[in-house]
């Protein structure tokens, strides 16, 4: 077997289960969107705003998965499985320490958080209702991130896949039952959708934590909190928090620009239409981003393991192969999105205005997919290498360039498709330039556990 084919098989072994698991993750929001969309357009727009807040809080803590994957994988590459699991347990305890206050703050601050978006009154109420209930799922979601990160670092992407699929099935069933009611269970409306997701997420978190705990016991690792390790995990996560904060800020400023455009357009019958359209487009973008991110997950695990073993040349070669996979995957997802764009809207809403407005936005998103494929892969490579400091600074630079451009575009009265053009060219293009520049150098290739 050739070296290139061996690398491809290794990438596929990790990426394919990760692909299926990552596809399952955004199905939580997609499932909610399908169910809530049939309650009405204001409810769908409210879900979009509340979902943005929840994904922002969780997204800021993505280092619990990414940083843990990289650290555990380095220890595995160096042959230290016991140290790998000890580091993974530190990540789980850190998730608890962050998750408890995050839950309380988000639930208590639901009203002002929704008010930040300046939505119309008919959207504010469902958004606030959903957010208050969904906040209860923050601790389970952070434990899912940390547990998944440990298993990926151990080169196991199959267990997270099984948990993700089972959780999504449970989420869909619970959403339908709790939103519309069944038998003695009363319909709770949009609150039922949030509650169904919380219950499913809690079950997923328990399954992943128990898997890691059993593995740690086999290696003799203590389950008690190791405060120096928890503090080290927190310090290592700071650059990734900054990096993620800049990404989430870019998405938030995009949503804000859409709301400004919608409320300022006197020709619109309802300001909820462009906001709901953007919510569906961003949900589908997130779905495809997770698809492309499967190779990035493999990149984190493989890069960390190769560098932990001191194989710099192998790291270079596997990076080239994964970038090639990213390009091909981006072209494939772009073609599929463009071909399906006329029919996707009907899956989520009966509102003809939203369905018609969605098509041109999805065509713009389709054109950006090949760029996204390269961006996500290189992002994963540098995270796996522990190059969080550079990613943080690069994110700040891209945000500083993107935010004024998208807000100016909104202020000039440009429609939703043009806002997505700016998102694709300025934001995604800026990320591409900064990541390619770094990957071509040698500063990120630091070997050792």
């Amino acid at each position: 077997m050739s070296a290139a084919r061996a690398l491809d098989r290794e990438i596929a072994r990790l990426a394919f289960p990760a692909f299926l698991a990552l596809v399952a993750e955004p199905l939580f929001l997609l499932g909610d969107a399908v169910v809530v969309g049939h309650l009405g357009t204001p409810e769908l727009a409210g879900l979009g705003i509340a979902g943005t807040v929840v994904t922002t809080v969780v997204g800021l803590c993505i280092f619990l998965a990414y940083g843990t994957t990289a650290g555990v994988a380095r220890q595995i590459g160096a042959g230290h499985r016991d140290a790998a699991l000890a580091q993974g347990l530190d990540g789980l305890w850190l998730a608890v320490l962050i998750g408890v206050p995050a839950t309380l703050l988000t639930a208590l601050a639901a009203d002002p958080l929704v008010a930040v978006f300046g939505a119309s009154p008919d959207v504010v109420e469902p958004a606030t209702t959903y957010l208050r209930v969904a906040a209860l799922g923050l601790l389970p979601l952070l434990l899912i991130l940390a547990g998944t990160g440990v298993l990926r670092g151990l080169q196991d992407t199959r267990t997270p896949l099984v948990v993700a699929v089972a959780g999504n099935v449970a989420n869909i069933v619970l959403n339908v039952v709790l939103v519309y009611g069944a038998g003695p269970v009363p319909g709770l409306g949009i609150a039922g959708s949030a509650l169904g997701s919380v219950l499913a997420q809690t079950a997923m978190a328990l399954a992943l934590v128990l898997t890691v705990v059993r593995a740690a016991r086999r290696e003799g690792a203590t389950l008690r909190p190791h405060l120096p390790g928890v503090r080290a995990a927190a310090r290592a996560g700071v650059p990734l928090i900054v990096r993620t904060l800049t990404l989430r800020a870019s998405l938030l400023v995009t949503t804000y620009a859409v709301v400004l455009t919608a409320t300022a357009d006197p020709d619109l019958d309802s300001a909820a239409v462009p906001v709901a359209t953007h919510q569906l487009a961003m949900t589908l973008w997130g779905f495809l981003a997770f698809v492309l991110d499967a190779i990035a997950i493999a990149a984190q695990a493989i890069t960390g393991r190769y560098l932990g073993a001191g194989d710099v040349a192998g790291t270079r070669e596997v990076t080239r192969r994964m970038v090639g996979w990213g390009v091909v995957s981006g072209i494939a997802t772009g073609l599929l999105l463009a071909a399906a764009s006329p029919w996707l809207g009907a899956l989520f809403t009966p509102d003809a205005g939203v369905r018609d407005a969605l098509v041109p936005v999805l065509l713009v998103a389709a054109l950006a997919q090949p760029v996204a494929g390269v961006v996500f892969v290189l992002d994963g490579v540098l995270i796996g290498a522990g190059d969080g400091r550079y990613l943080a600074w690069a994110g700040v630079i891209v945000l500083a360039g993107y935010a004024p451009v998208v807000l100016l575009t909104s202020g000039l009265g440009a429609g939703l498709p043009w806002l997505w053009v700016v998102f694709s060219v300025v934001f995604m293009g800026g990320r591409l330039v900064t990541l390619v520049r770094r990957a071509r150098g040698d500063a990120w290739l630091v070997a050792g556990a």
Side-chain angles (χ1 to χ4, degrees):
M1 181 187 299
S2 68
R5 183 171 296 182
L7 286 177
D8 286 341
R9 288 186 60 137
E10 184 174 16
I11 295 167
R13 179 180 64 82
L14 293 173
F16 185 66
F19 159 76
L20 296 176
L22 288 169
V23 167
E25 287 182 28
L27 286 177
F28 264 93
L29 278 180
L30 284 172
D32 289 358
V34 170
V35 176
V36 172
H38 288 84
L39 291 175
T41 299
E43 286 81 1
L44 181 59
L47 171 64
I49 291 175
T52 299
V53 175
V54 171
T55 54
T56 297
V57 175
V58 176
L60 288 174
C61 298
I62 196 66
F63 73 92
L64 291 169
Y66 290 173
T68 304
T69 296
V72 170
R74 275 187 179 264
Q75 295 290 352
I76 290 295
H80 304 153
R81 187 175 177 84
D82 55 343
L85 282 161
Q87 189 165 341
L89 289 171
D90 292 338
L92 289 174
W93 281 112
L94 182 59
V96 173
L97 292 177
I98 296 173
V100 172
T103 297
L104 294 175
L105 289 174
T106 303
L108 293 174
D111 286 298
L113 286 172
V114 171
V116 167
F117 292 89
S120 56
D122 61 335
V123 174
V124 168
E125 182 178 355
T128 305
T129 299
Y130 187 95
L131 183 56
R132 284 202 184 102
V133 179
L136 299 176
L138 286 175
L139 175 56
L141 283 169
L142 299 193
L143 286 171
I144 290 170
L145 288 179
T148 299
V150 176
L151 294 174
R152 288 172 180 166
L154 296 172
Q155 316 296 295
D156 175 13
T157 55
R158 297 193 179 208
T159 301
L161 166 62
V162 173
V163 172
V165 171
N168 267 278
V169 172
N171 179 59
I172 292 172
V173 173
L174 289 168
N175 260 259
V176 173
V177 171
L178 294 175
V179 169
Y180 297 109
V185 179
L188 301 176
I190 194 170
S193 176
L195 179 59
S197 294
V198 168
L199 294 174
Q201 290 154 0
T202 300
M204 293 171 65
L206 286 173
L208 290 171
V209 169
L210 288 175
T211 301
V212 174
V213 166
R214 284 196 296 267
R217 281 178 172 168
R218 285 195 298 269
E219 297 296 328
T222 178
L223 303 182
R224 293 191 300 272
H226 180 239
L227 293 182
V230 174
R231 286 195 296 267
R235 285 194 302 269
V238 170
L240 290 179
I241 292 175
V242 175
R243 166 255 182 201
T244 303
L245 182 61
T246 61
L247 297 181
R248 297 307 310 177
S250 298
L251 298 181
L252 285 170
V253 78
T254 304
T255 301
Y256 183 68
V258 172
V259 172
L260 287 180
T261 298
T263 54
D265 191 343
D267 297 328
L268 287 176
D269 295 331
S270 172
V273 170
V275 178
T277 302
H278 177 70
Q279 153 63 12
L280 291 180
M282 193 56 74
T283 301
L284 289 165
W285 173 272
F287 178 85
L288 295 177
F290 277 116
V291 173
L292 297 173
D293 212 27
I295 307 170
I297 296 302
Q300 292 174 25
I302 294 174
T303 301
R305 195 182 85 239
Y306 273 52
L307 290 176
D311 189 354
V312 174
T315 304
R316 278 284 190 197
E317 179 59 26
V318 78
T319 298
R320 284 192 290 268
R321 299 298 296 182
M322 287 185 290
V323 168
W325 278 51
V327 172
V328 172
S329 299
I331 292 172
T333 56
L335 290 174
L336 288 173
L337 181 60
S341 59
W343 298 281
L344 286 172
L347 295 176
F348 303 103
T349 177
D351 191 319
V354 174
R355 294 200 304 265
D356 293 341
L358 185 62
V359 176
V361 174
L362 293 184
L363 292 177
V364 174
L367 291 173
Q369 288 301 296
V371 171
V374 177
V375 165
F376 297 151
V377 167
L378 289 179
D379 197 51
V381 167
L382 296 181
I383 289 173
D387 199 24
R389 190 178 299 273
Y390 176 82
L391 292 173
W393 280 110
V396 170
I397 292 170
V398 172
L399 173 62
Y402 171 66
V405 174
V406 73
L407 292 175
L408 177 61
T409 304
S410 174
L412 293 174
L416 186 59
W418 281 109
L419 293 178
W420 270 78
V421 168
V422 173
F423 174 79
S424 300
V425 174
V426 180
F427 176 61
M428 293 304 297
R431 293 188 68 194
L432 178 67
V433 170
T434 56
L435 291 171
V436 169
R437 175 184 177 277
R438 185 64 164 183
R440 286 179 174 174
D442 297 322
W444 59 280
L445 290 166
V446 180

